[in-house]
Amino acid sequence: MKKVLLTGGTGFIGSHTAVELINSGYQVVIVDNLSNSTIDSLDGIENITGVRPEFVKADCSVFSEMESLFEKHGGFNSIIHFAALKSVVESVEKPLKYYNNNIISLIYLIQLLQKGGGGNIVFSSSCTVYGQPEKLPVSEESPYQPVASPYGNTKKISEDILRDTVNSNKSIKVVALRYFNPIGAHPSAEIGELIIGKPLYLLPYITQTAIGIRDKLQIFGNDYDSPDGTAIRDYFHVVDLAKAHVLALDRLVEKKNKSGFEVFNLGAGKGSTVLEIVKAFEKVTGVKLNYEIVGRRAGDVEQVWADTSLAQKELGWQTESTLEDALLTAWNWEKRLRGKEGK
Ligand code: UD1
């Protein structure tokens, strides 16, 4: 059986990817320090797939912990690297925490892979590397823009590190996936986006407001150049994103990647404004949202959505779920978490 190490595998995207990998016949080993997720994800993965992945609680930025994990497994040939800190705001306040965690972890993983003779890495990157692109939809050809936060910078630097590594060592192959805005949860509501503390992203804020944990949603800015003045993003279902990881890994395992380092955009290929998301959520769930318009959030770009034709052509990937599916599954997950109405 093909074995793969998932760093950050109990997190939002990691847990959904674990499910799709197991369903595709991979043996999944998860390493996570549980700083932004809980062990309950393993129950969810097991309830969906019937398989409980091996789990190791360890910190990817501590070399000795990663070294013992690799030794225990006789090395890994494939890694999907999700483990990273991801708060834009916190990264501005504590840049070294972000550089230390996100960059050091990646370097250690590459070193350990190299020590074992090489292998495959699928890397979690972000559309944040495009900043505010000049041309929309944005393709992989678009140049990097100065990134507004240390978090965003860690993604750009990580891509650079991976590209340089591949150039110097032909035994390492990489696919970097640039995510736009993944939302939703598994249709079973067994796994989803667990929020520890205050939500950072739009969708958890919406579902927590809808369920009554938050008084109201604040919409950051209605003076953008968009049909209703609110900012535009490319929201898509996390299960579709998870499936893209399986395709990316298959491509590496089957040695189908053309160059050693490839990058793909992953999104729905369509932009929605914040207000459109609010309205669509209200329509699909029947729940009225309390919201107010406030000023712009520092560092936000005005509009960005993906050209996904490369992922379509090379990975054979495209989204299968609709925005409404994604919104409804996010809501069902929130209700399940709060014990209201069950699944
Ligand atoms: C951004 C990055 C993304 C990165 C993520 C990490 C861009 C385009 N996207 O996500 O790559 O992985 O940060 O943190 O750089 N909003 C509200 N009220 C809220 C929350 C959000 O109005 O309470 C609005 C935001 O202003 C934005 C939209 O909703 O217009 C989406 O915001 P969010 O979910 O935070 O994601 P991004 O900022 O797009």
Side-chain angles (χ1 to χ4, degrees):
M1 200 185 246
K2 295 169 287 183
K3 186 159 75 176
V4 53
L5 175 67
L6 257 61
T7 73
T10 47
F12 175 44
I13 303 169
S15 57
H16 288 83
T17 302
V19 165
E20 299 307 321
L21 287 164
I22 293 168
N23 286 343
S24 303
Y26 280 93
Q27 181 194 343
V28 170
V29 177
I30 291 178
V31 58
D32 202 301
N33 64 2
L34 301 180
S35 63
N36 193 34
S37 60
T38 69
I39 201 85
D40 293 349
S41 300
L42 297 179
D43 295 335
I45 295 167
E46 186 177 4
N47 290 341
I48 298 166
T49 62
V51 175
R52 192 174 187 83
E54 181 181 333
F55 174 72
V56 179
K57 184 171 184 294
D59 192 322
C60 296
S61 62
V62 177
F63 188 77
S64 57
E65 295 186 10
M66 297 312 288
E67 193 177 32
S68 356
L69 171 65
F70 273 67
E71 276 169 8
K72 182 176 160 216
H73 280 268
F76 290 93
N77 191 44
S78 295
I79 302 173
I80 304 186
H81 184 39
F82 295 107
L85 297 170
K86 60 175 183 178
S87 160
V88 170
V89 173
E90 190 193 34
S91 79
V92 174
E93 290 158 5
K94 299 177 182 163
L96 292 187
K97 180 176 172 186
Y98 275 68
Y99 287 115
N100 188 64
N101 185 84
N102 294 4
I103 304 296
I104 298 284
S105 304
L106 177 67
I107 292 175
Y108 288 167
L109 285 171
I110 297 172
Q111 284 175 335
L112 288 164
L113 211 54
Q114 281 182 334
K115 200 173 151 195
N120 308 311
I121 304 177
V122 177
F123 178 68
S124 272
S125 191
S126 165
C127 70
T128 196
V129 301
Y130 297 121
Q132 177 58 66
E134 275 165 25
K135 204 172 137 235
L136 287 164
V138 59
S139 82
E140 292 82 353
E141 302 288 297
S142 280
Y144 288 129
Q145 299 274 359
V147 182
S149 70
Y151 155 78
N153 225 5
T154 66
K155 293 295 172 189
K156 182 200 169 282
I157 294 168
S158 295
E159 287 193 7
D160 290 341
I161 290 172
L162 286 162
R163 193 182 295 102
D164 291 344
T165 300
V166 165
N167 285 340
S168 74
N169 181 347
K170 298 289 168 238
S171 68
I172 304 263
K173 305 284 179 202
V174 174
V175 170
L177 300 175
R178 291 179 180 160
Y179 314 152
F180 283 66
N181 291 60
I183 57 167
H186 195 270
S188 65
E190 290 283 350
I191 51 173
E193 188 166 13
L194 184 75
I195 304 301
I196 298 176
K198 208 173 165 200
L200 300 170
Y201 303 109
L202 180 62
L203 243 290
Y205 225 103
I206 288 180
T207 57
Q208 288 200 357
T209 306
I211 209 135
I213 297 174
R214 310 266 156 207
D215 277 356
K216 58 183 150 195
L217 167 76
Q218 294 193 319
I219 296 182
F220 300 131
N222 68 346
D223 56 351
Y224 287 109
D225 180 15
S226 78
D228 57 33
T230 61
I232 298 178
R233 297 286 184 277
D234 184 336
Y235 301 91
F236 69 117
H237 202 301
V238 66
V239 172
D240 283 328
L241 175 58
K243 289 177 179 169
H245 289 79
V246 180
L247 295 170
L249 185 59
D250 286 346
R251 181 175 176 88
L252 289 168
V253 169
E254 291 160 14
K255 304 192 187 308
K256 285 187 182 152
N257 56 327
K258 291 186 181 141
S259 68
F261 178 83
E262 291 180 315
V263 176
F264 297 105
N265 282 347
L266 298 175
K270 179 181 172 293
S272 305
T273 67
V274 179
L275 269 175
E276 281 166 359
I277 295 294
V278 167
K279 298 292 169 212
F281 181 84
E282 290 183 332
K283 191 165 171 214
V284 82
T285 62
V287 181
K288 199 101 193 89
L289 268 182
N290 191 18
Y291 67 83
E292 64 175 347
I293 308 280
V294 297
R296 291 182 179 196
R297 182 172 69 175
D300 266 349
V301 301
E302 181 169 85
Q303 42 186 302
V304 63
W305 68 95
D307 176 345
T308 57
S309 46
L310 192 65
Q312 233 169 74
K313 181 167 165 259
E314 297 294 334
L315 296 177
W317 179 84
Q318 57 185 28
T319 53
E320 292 165 9
S321 299
T322 61
L323 178 64
E324 286 70 26
D325 294 333
L327 295 172
L328 196 57
T329 53
W331 177 230
N332 287 340
W333 162 250
E334 184 69 59
K335 284 193 295 187
R336 165 116 201 264
L337 265 186
R338 311 300 159 192
K340 290 190 186 176
E341 287 182 41
K343 293 181 209 173

